[in-house]
Amino acid sequence: MRGVFVAAHVPDTFLLRCEAGAVAVGAIGAGTGRAALGGWAAAEMLGADCAPRGVPVEVVVALGLAHPDLLAVEVRRRLTSRGGHA
């Protein structure tokens, strides 16, 4: 991810990738509230070390918001139970 850095000696873990994704989209730090982690990534951030190996970090953003600095992003849109988009 562009704009998110870590020291070279830090192990590349799913938790590290979740933290980087959260920082990149403003889910934590500056800009908090415009995005959130979802699925396995949210569980990992809450301490549940249960994600399958190789699962992607899932980021949830409001319809219309874009994060062009993220690489390898798969966009999915669907209706939520309240009738909005997710």
Side-chain angles (χ1 to χ4, degrees):
M1 269 171 234
R2 287 186 253 176
V4 180
F5 302 93
V6 66
H9 69 275
V10 176
D12 183 5
T13 65
F14 185 61
L15 178 59
L16 180 68
R17 290 173 185 252
C18 292
E19 291 169 338
V23 169
V25 298
I28 57 176
T32 302
R34 304 194 74 202
L37 295 182
W40 297 112
E44 187 77 18
M45 292 290 283
L46 292 172
D49 185 17
C50 60
R53 178 177 232 141
V55 69
V57 174
E58 185 176 350
V59 178
V60 180
V61 296
L63 189 62
L65 292 180
H67 295 283
D69 289 338
L70 294 178
L71 302 175
V73 172
E74 178 182 339
V75 177
R76 291 185 232 170
R77 293 185 181 165
R78 62 186 159 100
L79 293 175
T80 65
S81 59
R82 290 193 228 171
H85 284 85

